[in-house]
Amino acid sequence: MKLNLTKVVNGCRLGKIKNLGKTGDRTMDIPACLLYTKTGSAPHLTHQTLHTIHGVPAMAQLTLSSLAEHHEVLAEYKEGIGKFIGMPESLLYCSLHDPVSPCPAGYVTNKSVSVWGIGGRVEMTASKFMAIQQALQPDWFQCLSDGEASFEEAASIKRARKSVDRSLLFLDNCLRLQEESEVLQKSTVIGVIEGGDVMEERLRSARETAKRPVGGFLLDGFQGNPATLETRLYLLSSVTAELPEDKPRLICGVSRPDEVLECIERGVDIFESFFPYQVTERGCALTFSFDYQPNPEETLLQQNGTQEEIKYVDQTKKIKTTSCNQEMTSFEINLKEKKYQEDFDPLVRGCSCYCCKNHTRAYIHHLLVTNELLAGVLLMMHNFEHYFGFFHSIREALKSDRLAQLKELICRIVLDTSAFQLLTAAVSQKRLL
Amino acid sequence: MAAAVNPTSLESAPRIMRLVAECSRSRARAGELRLPHGPVATPVFMPVGTQATMKGITAEQLDALGCRICLGNTYHLGLRPGPELIQKAHGLHGFMNWPHNLLTDSGGFQMVSLVSLSEVTEEGVRFRSPYDGDETLLSPEKSVEIQNALGSDIIMQLDDVVSSTVTGPRVEEAMYRSIRWLDRCIAAHQRPDKQNLFAIIQGGLDADLRATCLEAVPSSRTEMTKRDVPGFAIGGLSGGESKGQFWRMVALSTSRLPKDKPRYLMGVGYATDLVVCVALGCDMFDCVFPTRTARFGSALVPTGNLQLKKKQYEKDFRPIDSNCTCPTCQKHSRAFLHALLHSDNTAALHHLTVHNIAYQLQLMSAVRASIVEKRFPDFVRDFMGTMYGDPTLCPTWATEALASVGITLR
């Protein structure tokens, strides 16, 4: 595996990772996102519907939390998780946790880390962890690590230090076990940078992990709500400055378009794509524009569109779903709203996804109101395609030195979001009085 | 049973059915329906997409499986999103973007299934909406009006439906009222050139009542087959009645229905029932069973079904059916589906929905091919052998039904 940087602009890295996969002939452009999956399948989508989507990433993300409990089955299967899930052609990265479902804290010890599946907790020592990876045979996998220093509000230096120590110990153990396994030689270990919010520990983690023969780095502990990422951005820059240029940097738990751009500016290459899934689960569709060089006519149309979305008065509901508990953003529209009942436009004009080419907002609205399964399928198809299109535009913008324009476009939407959320809160409060 | 004498229809109703082959032993027929949105080979199984969607699979997926006709439900669609909106969306075809044929039922069955919310009078059925408590009257005229707005290729008369377990004068009342309602539907139908209105034969489990509905009675005007309709459905069955009564009513109906018009047996969908009722002379079928059972993790196979959530499939690396050509069987194992079914990813349900629809359509294709190739009785024997292990282990009712049309299972 080899990472070639084409250019670096304002800290943003544009490049190509070559020689990927079991046959060593796959490539991946960065910045990139990974296809988000649940139990080895894109949410709501079968192979057929997944492949109607344009721009599906070359690499999919699997989560150990959903697969660890199937260890025995996979060991008996012998042919690896890619074939088992019906995605033998895809590159696969296995993370520890699912970015959408937080796991309970307090289960990391000096000897083990736990993940939470449908059947409950699965505790893994380094050897059990590596045995599971041996059965999975992913292309890349996140090494066993202690990510809990970032859970607490004001984690102590002691806790931060422990997270780094433990993670390095796990890493060394896992690397040793990898050497002893022929099967695991074919997989790449991704080292995990820990250290909570303590600069010193973060730097130590970066430097020490970089000394080991890992194929890339996962920046853990930067996730949370938008506010927490803000405060950790300075940490992020310092960390990536310590990492070698020629290895990819992944980040977990960050998927919102504005946050993605902030992290790319600070040297991150690869992201998870769970944001479009969260949008889908609340019955919403991504509509934000990433067209940073529209023609003047389009600009006018889009401006009118943006005006439309800023109708705070009727959007007084906080949208909470059981799996996401996230608030709606200005990157999306809520198809459950009555105003879409007779709207025969596609979700996004000009979008080339299956849903926009074949169906209308009115139809999606009907499916949501009647609780039909197809709503999730069609929204997921659109939201993934829209999101993958966004990443494509990031790469194009970097290529043509127009990232500033793209960033401006996205920031304007975020300002709408914050203003919208502030106003929503204000209106709800007024209602309570 | 006496040899059936099938009358030809007396009027010039549109002939939408072309017979391609007939079994020389049984009453099985292979044919082709000529419908506004394209031809449909019969016998045909029509999957049910109640609320303008086929339960988690896209129109493209359904088309790729070879489906050329499926169902929508007037009662549900009439409430949500309503006929006015669907008309604005260029009919149900436009609204759900389905390029092939649609059949809508009248809303009559909901009288039975939602009986606590309904009240039947000569005027129509008064429903209380489960969604907002509002009262609606579904009359024959209203039902046809909604179906005209939906624009489906085949529309059903509003019939007075009683559960097949009901006996007594209510059954007779419902049968006669259904005929009167048929006449009202025919009178109200605004688009006979674009939409084919089918009559529904009622009469419950009473042979005399059924016969009355069908047969010529010189002094009465009760002959449904004399009505100017392009097709007939056999209704009021597939409820809680015994299989013995069921098949006899089907056989009686097909013996009196015109040969040159399609016979649609409503609500029938188990594989065995399909095969037997094809032998008895039915052409069209619909049932929620295959799609519904898929969402419970059950996959249909020639030997019955696989409850894929069960532990025995945890390490079963074979596809659901190695002879099935559906996308699910091409790509996935029982073990993977088992794992996925135990997760909260809805994709598991869609995989099984795709397979179960494929199973039903492939079954009908195979039935049709055997009729065309003059080996239907052998097909039936093979089918029963595979399903029950031995033809002699086939359920009694099925053996009797098949025997009545000249097919023995020994």
Side-chain angles (χ1 to χ4, degrees), chain A residues 41 44 342 358 363 366 372, chain B residues 51-52 55 88 97 345-346:
Chain A
S41 165
H44 304 299
E342 292 199 20
N358 287 283
Y363 184 59
H366 163 74
E372 286 285 345
Chain B
Q51 301 193 101
K55 301 302 177 192
K88 284 186 193 162
N97 200 20
N345 193 336
T346 70

Side-chain angles (χ1 to χ4, degrees), chain A residues 285-414:
Chain A
L286 290 175
T287 52
F288 71 96
S289 170
F290 42 81
D291 189 0
Y292 54 90
Q293 42 181 24
N295 59 59
E297 231 179 80
E298 276 296 319
T299 317
L300 196 65
L301 280 170
Q302 267 172 39
Q303 276 177 352
N304 289 340
T306 322
Q307 290 303 322
E308 250 252 75
E309 306 311 347
I310 309 174
K311 286 242 158 77
Y312 304 129
V313 183
D314 38 17
Q315 297 189 34
T316 53
K317 291 198 184 95
K318 258 192 193 182
I319 297 157
K320 280 194 175 160
T321 68
T322 45
S323 59
C324 305
N325 237 25
Q326 296 265 320
E327 288 182 20
M328 190 179 143
T329 67
S330 276
F331 294 110
E332 59 204 83
I333 54 173
N334 180 7
L335 270 307
K336 285 195 194 124
E337 285 175 32
K338 228 170 164 2
K339 68 180 178 185
Y340 296 116
Q341 202 177 46
E342 292 199 20
D343 189 340
F344 295 114
D345 274 341
L347 292 174
V348 172
R349 223 178 281 144
C351 175
S352 55
C353 85
Y354 175 84
C355 182
C356 290
K357 288 221 114 72
N358 287 283
H359 295 294
T360 61
R361 294 170 169 197
Y363 184 59
I364 306 294
H365 173 86
H366 163 74
L367 295 174
L368 285 166
V369 163
T370 53
N371 264 312
E372 286 285 345
L373 288 167
L374 191 62
V377 176
L378 292 176
L379 282 174
M380 191 74 265
M381 287 168 82
H382 168 78
N383 289 336
F384 264 152
E385 181 146 342
H386 196 92
Y387 192 74
F388 300 153
F390 167 60
F391 267 84
H392 177 79
S393 79
I394 295 176
R395 292 188 291 269
E396 290 300 301
L398 276 173
K399 240 179 252 173
S400 52
D401 285 311
R402 307 286 281 270
L403 194 69
Q405 275 100 313
L406 179 58
K407 191 169 180 203
E408 206 220 334
L409 196 57
I410 301 296
C411 282
R412 225 187 302 142
I413 298 168
V414 178

